[in-house]
Amino acid sequence: MMTYEQAYAFMIEKTHRHREKYKDSYKNIKATLDYKPITIEYPGYKANGDYKVWYQTDSMHTAKAYMHADIVRAIYKRTNLENFEECINFLECLFAKGLNCTTTNRLKELIFWLTLQEDLNYPMPRYQGRKLPFQRYYEAILAKMGYYEIEDIVRRTNNHGMDKPDLLTLPKGWRSPIFYNLEAIF
């Protein structure tokens, strides 16, 4: 099990060792870490420690590189009136504790490794790091509960090269998870 801080240091070290081994050609020679059903391929194209996440279950013919919009849609699909609070608690626990979160949610490892990339490429507190995708995941729950349209949330997720979206107005009675507070520092 790992926290975000431990995994951050782990990936920086892995990339550093890879660079030492392969010198100038290190970006052209990929290495992998296998965490079935997830495979981490590094180095990536961005900051030191960056990587690509591949996901493949027994029922899939080939591995797929997931994006945050895929997770937004998966959360939307899996959320319902009976489990929405559990889904919010899961996201908050994962955000704060990383893989040390004691949930059995099958998306835990995939979300963890996808969002860690954001901490590597857009570190907090200067940038939003993993807060940004977690905010969109939370908004997928709000959409499923009928407060927003899922396609609007997907557009907010795929806002590459644009300013970060403002937080949505929360419906009356809804609590704000720790990652839905722009002032919170981690």
Side-chain angles (χ1 to χ4, degrees):
M1 296 302 183
M2 278 191 260
T3 65
Y4 276 96
E5 294 75 18
Q6 292 166 331
Y8 183 99
F10 174 76
M11 287 310 303
I12 294 290
E13 179 62 24
K14 283 287 188 189
T15 303
H16 178 73
R17 286 185 187 174
H18 189 76
R19 180 182 290 144
E20 284 181 343
K21 182 177 181 178
Y22 294 107
K23 308 289 184 222
D24 292 339
S25 60
Y26 85 99
K27 281 202 171 197
N28 299 324
I29 300 169
K30 301 297 181 186
T32 59
L33 300 168
D34 195 15
Y35 300 109
K36 290 288 183 199
I38 293 167
T39 301
I40 307 296
E41 180 185 85
Y42 68 96
Y45 302 106
K46 294 187 180 180
N48 185 33
D50 188 36
Y51 55 87
K52 189 170 194 171
V53 178
W54 295 93
Y55 184 79
Q56 182 176 8
T57 63
D58 293 337
S59 65
M60 299 168 72
H61 296 291
T62 59
K64 178 180 176 181
Y66 276 74
M67 299 177 0
H68 296 301
D70 296 318
I71 302 301
V72 164
R73 290 184 190 284
I75 289 171
Y76 179 85
K77 181 180 176 184
R78 288 176 171 87
T79 301
N80 57 50
L81 194 55
E82 291 78 34
N83 73 359
F84 77 92
E85 189 69 38
E86 179 183 318
C87 292
I88 295 168
N89 291 339
F90 158 67
L91 291 175
E92 197 164 41
C93 181
L94 184 59
F95 179 85
K97 296 180 180 180
L99 292 176
N100 292 334
C101 181
T102 57
T103 183
T104 57
N105 190 306
R106 53 183 251 203
L107 291 176
K108 179 171 89 171
E109 287 84 8
L110 180 58
I111 292 174
F112 175 80
W113 288 106
L114 276 177
T115 55
L116 175 65
Q117 289 176 302
E118 302 305 318
D119 280 355
L120 288 159
N121 295 328
Y122 309 102
M124 292 187 274
R126 181 174 181 204
Y127 302 104
Q128 292 295 305
R130 70 182 182 272
K131 284 174 89 173
L132 218 52
F134 273 93
Q135 289 165 357
R136 302 301 80 81
Y137 303 160
Y138 176 65
E139 291 171 359
I141 296 169
L142 294 173
K144 185 61 177 242
M145 294 297 102
Y147 295 106
Y148 296 98
E149 295 296 322
I150 188 60
E151 291 310 315
D152 291 337
I153 306 306
V154 169
R155 272 191 292 282
R156 290 167 60 78
T157 304
N158 291 331
N159 70 333
H160 309 288
M162 301 170 64
D163 290 338
K164 66 180 178 249
D166 292 331
L167 297 181
L168 296 174
T169 302
L170 296 182
K172 188 172 182 133
W174 279 71
R175 70 179 176 88
S176 178
I178 57 175
F179 51 80
Y180 217 73
N181 176 350
L182 294 179
E183 305 305 316
I185 297 176
F186 298 91

